[in-house]
Amino acid sequence: MAEEVILLDFWASMFGMRTRIALEEKKVKFDYREQDLWNKGSLLLEMNPIHKKIPVLIHNGKPVCESLIQVEYIDETWPGENPLLPSDPYQRAQAKFWADFIDKKVNVTARRIWAIKGEEKEASKELIEIFKTLESELGDKHYFGGETFGYVDIALIGFYSWFGVYNKFGNMSIETECPTLTAWAQRCLKRESVAKTLPESEKVTAFISQRLGLE
Amino acid sequence: MAEKEEVKLLGIWASPFSRRIEMALKLKGIPYDYVEEILEHKSPLLLALNPIHKKVPVLVHNGKTILESQVILEYIDETWKQSPILPQDPYERSKARFLAKLVDEQIITAGFVSMARADEKGREALAEQTRELIMNLEKELVGKDFFGGKSVGFLDLVAGSMIPFCLERGWEGIGLKVITEEKFPEYSRWVKNLEKVEAVKDCIPPREKHVEHMNYMGERIRSA
């Protein structure tokens, strides 16, 4: 049976980027369908009726929702190429802990910088602290998983394309405050899957500025 | 000769997150040492093992620390292969994880807020929201003894520890009727099935003490 893989996504979503990167790493051919988040299509609403959110991965007609769940699904369904999670249970647990930490802390804090008026100063400070915790975890490793690009790298890298937004509205320079993380991001960008997936930071910044009515 | 296995669990008797770990360990017949933590007076050990979140449960296995209840459940399943709790099929696994996330994020939030609200109208609105969310679990149980099929699985432990054996105790305490057998026949049947499983039954917090505790938690949220 022919394999049908569809991804309902939005170009600037750091969550959708995770799924795209995972599919690219596994060399899985997929049909990317850009969604209009302000006028949601029937397929999106049908495939994710509970949350009505992107990304939605549809594999042979069956939907998988939530980006990290999609990444695990992709790793389990196409195991041959480039494993995204370690095989050792303890190392897997470590990877899942850090991906969960990223999910719990990064977006919630980063959003406040540009989406809520008056919170940018406090939220910027908090975001830098979160990034410093991640830098501590990274240490002098090549990637979060060590030598191999994997789950935690995939969970975090999409946010790099939003650094311009956070820097602009938070009046800061993440690159200056977190050089280790920045170097890690640059290493990730050398990978084809990441380079193909991440939008230009300027494009994301322009998009947000426009949405906020500033350009 | 088998190497001595060290399994230690730091938990809190009323926490659905630590109870579900106990259920998993008992299901798999894994002996463990249990350390009871106190919410308001966390031990130096807990703070050392979980400096970032400072929460239970914490599993220590042969010196290795594992955190976050769903991560711990998966670790246990991968390390001790008897009585598997996650489905084999990747799609079924993704469904279990998706619904488990729904329980631990949306259902718990709606549930706790419904208890914390002081006004009746607010409580009922949140109760209705919670019912809508739980309906997704109701649909999943049609034709099954457990979410895991014939036996207790990952989602049974997550949803079981959270809804019938935690949130329902809170609703009981404030006299809020959220789940009825009439509206949730599959759920009601599932709870009865769960209560018959020894590994689950042994890990349900004692009712009266728990209802009192949930009232206290509701107050705590209200006054926050």
Side-chain angles (χ1 to χ4, degrees):
Chain A
M1 179 183 152
E3 194 95 88
E4 184 199 57
V5 182
I6 298 169
L7 181 66
L8 306 181
D9 197 358
F10 180 68
W11 67 275
S13 165
M14 58 289 260
F15 302 104
M17 286 176 214
R18 293 166 172 176
T19 314
R20 278 178 259 162
I21 291 169
L23 288 166
E24 295 282 354
E25 284 285 319
K26 296 287 186 174
K27 301 190 175 36
V28 173
K29 290 209 172 5
F30 64 100
D31 175 10
Y32 176 88
R33 297 191 191 172
E34 188 69 40
Q35 301 299 296
D36 180 353
L37 300 182
W38 295 270
N39 190 18
K40 289 176 180 177
S42 57
L43 186 60
L44 172 57
L45 299 175
E46 184 195 327
M47 291 288 147
N48 193 357
I50 298 177
H51 302 300
K52 307 174 173 57
K53 285 181 167 177
I54 56 88
V56 179
L57 180 71
I58 309 170
H59 182 208
N60 294 334
K62 294 188 289 195
V64 180
C65 303
E66 294 299 313
S67 60
L68 290 179
I69 294 177
Q70 290 161 356
V71 175
E72 270 199 88
Y73 175 83
I74 290 164
D75 201 37
E76 289 167 8
T77 303
W78 293 279
E81 202 81 41
N82 287 342
L84 305 176
L85 275 149
S87 48
D88 171 69
Y90 177 61
Q91 285 179 31
R92 289 168 77 86
Q94 295 274 83
K96 288 175 190 175
F97 171 83
W98 285 104
D100 174 75
F101 173 83
I102 290 161
D103 252 10
K104 278 190 168 92
K105 304 275 185 181
V106 180
N107 196 47
V108 165
T109 307
R111 264 204 110 242
R112 283 161 54 208
I113 297 173
W114 59 270
I116 304 176
K117 232 179 165 171
E119 299 229 356
E120 62 277 355
K121 208 168 169 194
E122 197 187 292
S124 300
K125 251 185 87 189
E126 280 178 41
L127 185 64
I128 296 296
E129 270 175 54
I130 292 165
F131 283 156
K132 286 198 172 14
T133 303
L134 288 164
E135 280 192 316
S136 224
E137 172 54 27
L138 178 64
D140 53 14
K141 290 180 289 181
H142 208 64
Y143 298 117
F144 279 93
E147 286 304 306
T148 329
F149 178 79
Y151 194 67
V152 182
D153 306 285
I154 293 173
L156 186 62
I157 191 59
F159 289 96
Y160 184 66
S161 63
W162 283 71
F163 277 19
V165 175
Y166 309 146
N167 286 338
K168 177 175 179 169
F169 294 96
N171 196 25
M172 59 173 168
S173 166
I174 301 172
E175 292 84 346
T176 309
E177 307 251 16
C178 306
T180 308
L181 199 68
T182 307
W184 159 82
Q186 298 291 352
R187 283 195 293 278
C188 292
L189 267 162
K190 291 207 175 87
R191 295 186 77 82
E192 198 183 329
S193 63
V194 179
K196 250 180 133 176
T197 299
L198 259 61
E200 296 284 347
S201 191
E202 294 78 25
K203 195 176 170 199
V204 181
T205 309
F207 165 70
I208 290 296
S209 302
Q210 208 174 59
R211 292 257 1 132
L212 295 173
L214 298 170
E215 258 163 47
Chain B
M1 184 181 150
E3 222 185 277
K4 189 172 180 273
E5 193 95 270
E6 183 225 356
V7 182
K8 188 191 291 214
L9 175 68
L10 281 74
I12 290 174
W13 70 273
S15 160
F17 306 102
S18 75
R19 285 294 183 172
R20 62 179 62 150
I21 307 304
E22 292 194 84
M23 289 174 190
L25 292 167
K26 284 204 174 6
L27 249 153
K28 291 186 179 259
I30 302 160
Y32 63 99
D33 288 323
Y34 178 75
V35 177
E36 180 73 40
E37 290 286 332
I38 300 165
L39 201 62
E40 296 87 354
H41 297 286
K42 291 171 179 174
S43 73
L45 178 64
L46 174 58
L47 299 177
L49 294 175
N50 193 356
I52 290 177
H53 300 303
K54 306 176 175 50
K55 286 181 172 179
V56 298
V58 176
L59 187 77
V60 185
H61 178 217
N62 293 337
K64 295 174 289 196
T65 305
I66 301 106
L67 307 168
E68 291 301 308
S69 69
Q70 288 189 29
V71 177
I72 297 172
L73 286 176
E74 296 214 12
Y75 174 83
I76 289 171
D77 209 34
E78 289 164 13
T79 304
W80 291 279
K81 307 282 189 184
Q82 67 274 27
S83 303
I85 57 174
L86 269 149
Q88 290 281 63
D89 171 65
Y91 179 67
E92 293 300 318
R93 287 160 80 90
S94 75
K95 265 197 344 190
R97 287 171 177 146
F98 174 82
L99 290 170
K101 194 170 197 233
L102 193 73
V103 170
D104 277 1
E105 289 182 10
Q106 283 80 12
I107 294 176
I108 186 183
T109 304
F112 268 91
V113 177
S114 73
M115 279 174 234
R117 288 292 295 266
D119 64 312
E120 204 183 308
K121 209 168 158 206
R123 281 181 178 182
E124 188 43 50
L126 275 147
E128 189 50 38
Q129 249 185 61
T130 312
R131 281 185 206 109
E132 266 178 57
L133 290 164
I134 296 176
M135 200 44 84
N136 293 295
L137 297 172
E138 175 76 8
K139 288 184 206 160
E140 195 57 34
L141 282 167
V142 173
K144 290 175 166 171
D145 291 339
F146 301 102
F147 290 109
K150 290 258 162 235
S151 56
V152 169
F154 181 78
L155 183 56
D156 297 284
L157 298 180
V158 172
S161 58
M162 181 61 73
I163 310 172
F165 311 132
C166 179
L167 294 176
E168 287 216 62
R169 268 96 186 273
W171 292 320
E172 191 183 311
I174 57 168
L176 186 66
K177 212 67 174 97
V178 179
I179 302 174
T180 58
E181 194 164 340
E182 186 191 19
K183 282 207 171 112
F184 295 89
E186 307 295 338
Y187 171 96
S188 305
R189 186 176 54 83
W190 165 71
V191 176
K192 292 193 183 96
N193 288 343
L194 278 180
E195 283 165 345
K196 292 195 195 117
V197 178
E198 208 175 310
V200 173
K201 189 169 58 102
D202 286 351
C203 302
I204 300 172
R207 181 181 223 103
E208 221 178 282
K209 193 177 169 197
H210 202 192
V211 171
E212 205 184 298
H213 173 86
M214 292 301 285
N215 280 342
Y216 161 72
M217 291 301 275
E219 293 264 350
R220 221 169 166 237
I221 300 170
R222 268 192 294 276
S223 58

